[in-house]
Amino acid sequence: MLFSKLFDRFLPPDRRFNPEALAWVAVIFTSIVMLAVESSIAVGVHEAPVALAFIVTVIHAGSMPLSMLRPLFGAIVSVVACGVLPLLGPYLSGAPWPWMVPMMITQILIILIVGLRAHWGVALAALLASIAISAAAAVFGHIQYPESRSESSIVNIVIFSCIAGGFYVAAVIVQQWHLIRSQLLQEQENTAEEHSKRVVVEEKTRIARELHDIVAHSMSIINIQASSAPFRHPNIDADVEKEFEDISISARHALTEMRGLLGVLRNDDSGQQLAPQPKFSEVEGLVKKAQQAGVNVTMERSGGPLDRSLRDSTGLAGYRIVQEALSNAIRHATESQIHIKIDSGGTALWINVVNTGGKGPSEAAKNEVHRHQGLIGMRERAASVGGELRTGWTSSGGFEVEAVLPLAVADSPKGGSSKRDSGKRDSSERDLGEADSDPDSDIATNSESDSNGADLSADDSDINANDSDISADDTSDQSQGDERSNA
């Protein structure tokens, strides 16, 4: 790892050393060097036969790369070579025996590799087997050469045992540290993935709750209109009166079911979240507050008025998209110029938010672990009303958010029929079905902004749970109720 970081400093960013490949290069190079040194010492100093010494040292040095692939097999081969090599030549007084210095270094490196690549028990077995085989070779050599001194052999074995034991302990510590670090990184990745999924689900649930409030309002209007129709139109037929009564009963049942659904979707602390939902007409106030906070933001509007053509759900989605795009620009492009363009012409509401690169992300944005959740939330909101959202970098280094939300054509306040009311109810039930898709999640809060957008986050209030507070006074505005029932 240290060598990899050292070499990476001298390489371009698109070229980096693979630590595994670098380890293989180091092991193979070391084995070649130790083969040359060990065979030369065995032949030149210990007077071993050239052919036998070369074959045994090749086996011993070759155990180093073999231990990279098969640690257990490499350890066994190296232990056998350590037992054979000291017995190839005659005993020489004053020379290290049974562990020659090159052979000792090679075997210690093999134990280190086994300790890093395999279970600590395999490395411990290789260490103990090396000590045992060298002790057996020392006993056999003492029997074969009575003039040899056992004290020097014992000292030689003890020296090897201490050095190899130290390397073994170091290898085990490094291996366990790497294992713990890998497990920690894996847990962090799992936690980040779970958090990302939870944020997505929570945002879907928040959208479902907001749609519930809008649909509940429309269903309440339908209930009031159907219940009061026989009193407002006393000369209607009995069959028509019965149909109005059925509509009223169905609307009340739907409201009861939606209130039960709302109890599942609400958080435990959602009792404090009773502020009304913002409307799209409040976007100007959002921009003004951002300007008062020192944000360089401008707004341009074109097209006709949206009073009668914009559904409540579409207006809420548009407001949240503008709010999130503005908040993201403040966090990720400090001191940038933000331009918001809104076009309500035609059959769709077109929203475009573009910001320049600025001075880069704020400190809070740099330390964010889970990113792009705001973009996911905006896409979910656009999809919830049948629209679409596109995001991407601009050619000048800025960022652009473009949303297209379909508009609903306003119905005529007169000449309503039960067939049209039934179509509205079906539309409301479809919207409610979308809101019912994920009832097990909590609310997803908007991303926190930096100091420049502190005033902006205060506007991000949650949903109004008191849909049951709708009073009968709304009956006077029948045309408005017809329009809102499209939500």
Side-chain angles (χ1 to χ4, degrees):
M1 183 64 69
L2 179 62
F3 288 104
S4 177
K5 291 182 179 180
L6 181 62
F7 284 109
D8 285 347
R9 293 178 179 272
F10 304 98
L11 292 175
D14 56 341
R15 289 189 178 183
R16 289 291 182 264
F17 271 118
N18 187 352
E20 185 74 12
L22 189 61
W24 271 100
V25 171
V27 168
I28 293 175
F29 178 78
T30 305
S31 63
I32 294 174
V33 172
M34 295 312 299
L35 170 63
V37 175
E38 190 172 347
S39 59
S40 300
I41 296 297
V43 174
V45 177
H46 293 271
E47 300 178 1
V50 177
L52 290 177
F54 183 76
I55 292 174
V56 176
T57 52
V58 166
I59 295 174
H60 192 210
S63 299
M64 294 178 63
L66 181 61
S67 299
M68 294 283 291
L69 289 175
R70 297 290 185 269
L72 179 59
F73 187 61
I76 294 174
V77 173
S78 66
V79 168
V80 173
C82 289
V84 175
L85 190 59
L87 302 178
L88 295 180
Y91 173 77
L92 298 177
S93 179
W97 193 85
W99 288 102
M100 297 180 292
V101 175
M103 185 177 70
M104 181 185 298
I105 295 174
T106 303
Q107 189 64 17
I108 290 174
L109 293 178
I110 291 173
I111 293 174
L112 177 63
I113 293 173
V114 174
L116 294 174
R117 306 283 293 188
H119 189 266
W120 62 268
V122 178
L124 180 61
L127 173 62
L128 297 179
S130 301
I131 297 174
I133 199 70
S134 62
V139 172
F140 184 80
H142 183 69
I143 295 174
Q144 186 177 3
Y145 304 104
E147 69 277 8
S148 62
R149 298 180 58 183
S150 59
E151 293 83 359
S152 61
S153 300
I154 294 174
V155 172
N156 181 265
I157 294 174
V158 170
I159 293 175
F160 166 78
S161 302
C162 294
I163 299 176
F167 274 85
Y168 164 76
V169 172
V172 171
I173 292 175
V174 172
Q175 185 198 47
Q176 294 301 316
W177 175 81
H178 181 70
L179 179 62
I180 293 173
R181 184 172 179 270
S182 300
Q183 293 176 349
L184 180 60
L185 292 177
Q186 183 64 35
E187 290 298 326
Q188 290 178 345
E189 292 178 359
N190 294 338
T191 303
E193 183 178 358
E194 291 298 327
H195 179 82
S196 178
K197 291 180 179 179
R198 180 185 176 187
V199 169
V200 173
V201 172
E202 287 175 346
E203 182 64 18
K204 289 181 179 180
T205 306
R206 176 177 179 171
I207 297 172
R209 286 194 298 268
E210 294 172 347
L211 287 177
H212 165 273
D213 293 341
I214 296 172
V215 173
H217 173 80
S218 301
M219 293 300 295
S220 299
I221 296 297
I222 293 173
N223 179 30
I224 294 172
Q225 288 178 327
S227 299
S228 61
F231 302 97
R232 292 182 287 108
H233 307 283
N235 297 325
I236 60 176
D237 297 336
D239 294 338
V240 177
E241 182 177 352
K242 181 63 169 59
E243 185 173 351
F244 276 122
E245 183 180 356
D246 293 340
I247 294 173
S248 177
I249 293 174
S250 299
R252 285 196 297 268
H253 289 171
L255 282 172
T256 302
E257 294 176 358
M258 283 192 294
R259 290 191 181 99
L261 172 63
L262 183 65
V264 177
L265 295 179
R266 295 293 183 192
N267 291 330
D268 294 337
D269 57 348
S270 60
Q272 305 297 328
Q273 301 164 358
L274 304 178
Q277 289 302 304
K279 299 180 180 180
F280 192 75
S281 58
E282 300 177 19
V283 170
E284 289 84 353
L286 187 68
V287 173
K288 289 180 180 179
K289 287 190 177 182
Q291 292 173 345
Q292 292 173 0
V295 181
N296 188 0
V297 55
T298 58
M299 182 174 174
E300 175 186 354
R301 295 200 62 167
S302 60
L306 295 173
D307 295 338
R308 299 178 57 84
S309 60
L310 186 64
R311 297 177 294 171
D312 290 348
S313 57
T314 305
L316 178 60
Y319 178 89
R320 294 300 189 195
I321 289 173
V322 173
Q323 184 182 47
E324 184 64 30
L326 185 58
S327 179
N328 286 342
I330 293 173
R331 289 196 314 273
H332 299 285
T334 56
E335 299 186 18
S336 63
Q337 296 180 358
I338 307 171
H339 181 68
I340 302 173
K341 185 177 181 181
I342 299 173
D343 185 4
S344 56
T347 60
L349 173 63
W350 181 71
I351 301 173
N352 182 265
V353 181
V354 182
N355 64 272
T356 59
K359 293 186 177 181
S362 62
E363 291 299 326
K366 292 179 181 179
N367 298 327
E368 285 182 356
V369 179
H370 313 286
R371 299 185 177 182
H372 310 299
Q373 303 301 331
L375 299 180
I376 296 175
M378 287 190 288
R379 290 191 179 96
E380 294 290 345
R381 289 187 178 277
S384 68
V385 295
E388 61 179 2
L389 184 133
R390 295 182 294 271
T391 60
W393 298 99
T394 62
S395 58
S396 60
F399 197 78
E400 180 180 14
V401 175
E402 183 178 10
V404 180
L405 309 179
L407 297 176
V409 179
D411 296 331
S412 175
K414 297 182 180 180
S417 64
S418 60
K419 182 178 179 180
R420 183 183 62 185
D421 292 340
S422 176
K424 294 176 184 178
R425 182 172 60 188
D426 292 340
S427 175
S428 299
E429 290 174 356
R430 284 195 299 272
D431 289 342
L432 180 60
E434 294 177 2
D436 217 354
S437 60
D438 204 346
D440 295 330
S441 304
D442 298 326
I443 189 167
T445 57
N446 285 336
S447 304
E448 55 179 346
S449 61
D450 61 353
S451 58
N452 288 337
D455 293 337
L456 194 61
S457 62
D459 264 12
D460 192 13
S461 59
D462 293 321
I463 62 173
N464 185 358
N466 290 344
D467 52 298
S468 61
D469 291 341
I470 302 174
S471 65
D473 293 339
D474 293 330
T475 59
S476 59
D477 194 1
Q478 299 176 17
S479 61
Q480 182 180 359
D482 288 337
E483 293 164 6
R484 293 178 64 88
S485 65
N486 287 331

